[in-house]
């Protein structure tokens, strides 16, 4: 009788464990970490390109030292700010990371204004190639951010829906991950003046 009860218990409990979401949550957590790695790789590509861009611009616009210095400093600050995958649930850390990357984007925008003032620089093939690489990199960063946010959404949903929420609450205790958010003022269209 006892063996029959154990067999019946096993037959009922084991199949229910396969639907507890443990593996799904783990898979989704790994997807978030992988997507974050892609975001970091895209930012690293940008950081690697910037010294070449700055050196090219320096050759043509040596008297615009202030702008070039701002780009170099922003790159340095942005490259020093890293996030460990464990910190992906911390909104303050994500905000600091986004602020550092936003500072670099702003400095690069100012550099592009300098470029507009120097027609010889715009015509330089090396600069044009670097500019295209930088534009492509910014697009890659955006794609990586979108994919990261999609992975975060899937993960956050998986730990909040039944029965996975029980598995997470009692076994894993994983926190929600923070998605990328738009910078303050991003909802306003930029003013273009000619």
């Amino acid at each position: 009788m006892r063996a029959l009860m154990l067999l019946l218990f096993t037959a009922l409990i084991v199949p229910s464990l396969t639907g507890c979401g443990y593996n799904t949550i783990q898979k989704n957590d790994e997807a978030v970490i992988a997507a974050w790695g892609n975001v970091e790789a895209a930012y690293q590509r940008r950081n690697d390109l910037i010294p070449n861009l700055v050196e090219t611009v320096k050759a043509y616009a040596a008297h615009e030292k202030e702008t070039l210095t701002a780009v170099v400093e922003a790159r340095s600050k942005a490259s020093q700010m890293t996030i460990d995958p464990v910190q992906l649930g911390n909104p303050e850390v994500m905000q600091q990371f986004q602020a550092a990357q936003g500072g670099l984007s702003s400095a690069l925008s100012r550099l592009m204004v300098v470029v507009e003032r120097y027609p010889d620089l715009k015509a330089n093939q090396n600069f044009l190639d670097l500019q295209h690489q930088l534009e492509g990199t910014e697009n890659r960063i955006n794609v990586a951010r979108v994919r990261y946010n999609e992975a975060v959404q899937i993960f956050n949903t998986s730990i909040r829906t039944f029965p996975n929420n029980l598995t997470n609450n009692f076994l894993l205790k994983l926190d929600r991950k923070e998605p990328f958010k738009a910078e303050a003022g991003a909802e306003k269209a930029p003013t273009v003046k000619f």
Side-chain angles (χ1 to χ4, degrees):
M1 181 71 175
R2 186 173 186 138
L4 181 62
M5 291 293 280
L6 184 59
L7 183 61
L8 183 60
F9 178 77
T10 304
L12 292 174
I13 296 299
V14 170
S16 68
L17 289 177
T18 60
C20 72
Y22 182 87
N23 289 336
T24 300
I25 293 171
Q26 296 295 339
K27 181 183 79 170
N28 293 341
D29 189 36
E30 289 301 318
V32 169
I33 292 168
W36 180 250
N38 291 337
V39 169
E40 288 182 320
Y43 280 128
Q44 184 61 51
R45 176 183 163 84
R46 178 170 73 174
N47 284 338
D48 292 344
L49 282 173
I50 288 171
N52 295 325
L53 178 65
V54 168
E55 289 304 314
T56 303
V57 174
K58 271 185 185 178
Y60 284 89
H63 53 284
E64 291 291 346
K65 230 175 167 179
E66 182 181 314
T67 302
L68 298 172
T69 302
V71 170
V72 170
E73 288 173 359
R75 176 193 173 267
S76 175
K77 186 175 181 182
S79 64
Q80 289 175 359
M81 179 70 193
T82 59
I83 297 180
D84 186 276
V86 175
Q87 298 172 313
L88 291 176
N90 186 331
E92 293 85 26
V93 172
M94 286 295 287
Q95 190 174 19
Q96 290 171 354
F97 182 83
Q98 285 183 248
Q101 295 302 329
L104 181 54
S105 294
S106 176
L108 286 172
S109 295
R110 288 192 304 274
L111 179 60
M112 292 305 161
V113 169
V114 167
V115 170
E116 293 298 321
R117 295 182 189 157
Y118 298 97
D120 291 343
L121 177 61
K122 289 192 306 188
N124 179 286
Q125 188 59 45
N126 290 334
F127 176 77
L128 291 174
D129 291 343
L130 282 170
Q131 186 177 15
H132 290 301
Q133 289 289 326
L134 199 56
E135 288 170 4
T137 299
E138 292 299 320
N139 287 335
R140 287 178 179 162
I141 288 170
N142 187 50
V143 168
R145 285 176 178 171
V146 168
R147 289 181 180 161
Y148 170 77
N149 281 350
E150 288 169 354
V152 166
Q153 185 265 328
I154 291 168
F155 172 80
N156 288 345
T157 300
S158 75
I159 66 169
R160 296 181 70 207
T161 55
F162 184 82
N164 297 4
N165 64 338
L166 298 175
T167 301
N168 188 52
N169 289 340
F170 294 114
L171 292 176
L172 299 172
K173 300 182 184 346
L174 297 173
D175 293 326
R176 292 180 74 240
K177 306 294 186 201
E178 279 296 310
F180 269 97
K181 296 180 178 113
E183 294 178 23
E187 69 281 356
K188 297 176 189 156
T191 304
V192 178
K193 293 181 183 179
F194 293 101

